[in-house]
Amino acid sequence: MPRLSLVMIARNEARCIARCLDSVRGHVDAMIVLDTGSTDDTVGIAEGCGATVHHFDWCDDFAAARNAALDHSDADWNLILDADEWLEDDARMLAAATLPPAPAPARFVGCVRIVNGTDSGSAARKFVPRILPRGVRYEGRIHEQPVSPLPMTVLPLAVRHDGFEQAQLARKAGRNEALLRAELAANPGDSYFWFQLGREHLVRGRADAAADALLAAHRTGATGDAWRHGVVVAALQALKRAERFDAALAFADAEQSHWARSPDFYFAVADLYLELASRRPETAMAEYLPVVEGAWKRCLEIGEQPGLDGSVEGCGSWLAAQNLAMLYESLGIDDDAAFYAEMGAGMRRAA
């Protein structure tokens, strides 16, 4: 009986499925792919990489598909990945020392760090449950979640994801929003689905709709929600992009006391005040730029917070330093500009 299996659902992922399977082949005992109706070479590529492929008629329900895929696994543990993801670094956490075979009892559901982005530029970090003991199943037709009484434990394992790049988003246009709206019709007070709808609008450039959904997520949620940080930062970004500046300023003021250790919050505040400075130059030096400067310096004081769900690489280091360098350069403060430019370059090399 296998100790650890990869379990994946896929459809028309010929672009990337080999990359995913190649990244995990040496760390799992079996690779299971449930194809939900591919019309490209996904099935052939997966089989060529050594995966066992099964087929499923898509029914607009991700949990149903995940559970059907899991039904094909008899492993003690299941690693759940999507085709547009891949293991990025040391996979020792997948070894038997962490994920023991039966009859040792499972004591947790394993969460991994999902890094949204490619190797160029900054990337958002998110922690999601992806290592499931035998018998755990999913609920939710979209942004589905495993249901288990076991505690969620974050493991030092990084998975990179490129599904938010524009070419990949275009393939999913309309699908996610329709499923999210169906979930919200059934559960209008669910903060998590409002958050996901807000993110969907935001990545597609619909700032007003994003702001409304994210404020609904904030209103229906609680301070202890795992996604609360993401809601707050995304709401600030959406309100700014929607040019709802008074609402953005009030929201930032109300939330500041809750996020003393979030460089992402202060980075979003700096971005908001910088936008206001560009639109109101007559009061920029007196009212807005000092806040911008202070917020980016606060980012550096806090430093990187990789354990903060939804945090973006660089907000607590090189991005803040580089932005301070550009600010001082624009103000003709050359010594400070040079200082922060050098700091940012050093931080970027070390990242």
Side-chain angles (χ1 to χ4, degrees), residues 7 9 32 34 54-56 62-73 137:
V7 178
I9 62 173
I32 297 166
L34 187 76
H54 303 275
H55 298 274
F56 179 82
F62 278 92
R66 297 274 187 211
N67 293 337
L70 285 164
D71 288 344
H72 290 289
S73 172
R137 293 297 186 266

Side-chain angles (χ1 to χ4, degrees), residues 248-266:
L249 291 170
F251 187 79
D253 287 345
E255 286 294 316
Q256 182 173 352
S257 63
H258 302 299
W259 303 108
R261 299 301 302 167
S262 168
D264 302 79
F265 174 81
Y266 283 96

Side-chain angles (χ1 to χ4, degrees), residues 28 194 289:
V28 300
W194 280 117
L289 291 181

Side-chain angles (χ1 to χ4, degrees), residues 293-321:
E293 177 188 31
W296 279 330
K297 286 186 175 180
R298 179 65 183 143
C299 291
L300 293 174
E301 291 170 3
I302 297 170
E304 289 290 290
Q305 297 295 315
L308 190 59
D309 190 56
S311 65
V312 174
E313 294 178 20
C315 282
S317 59
W318 58 273
L319 281 174

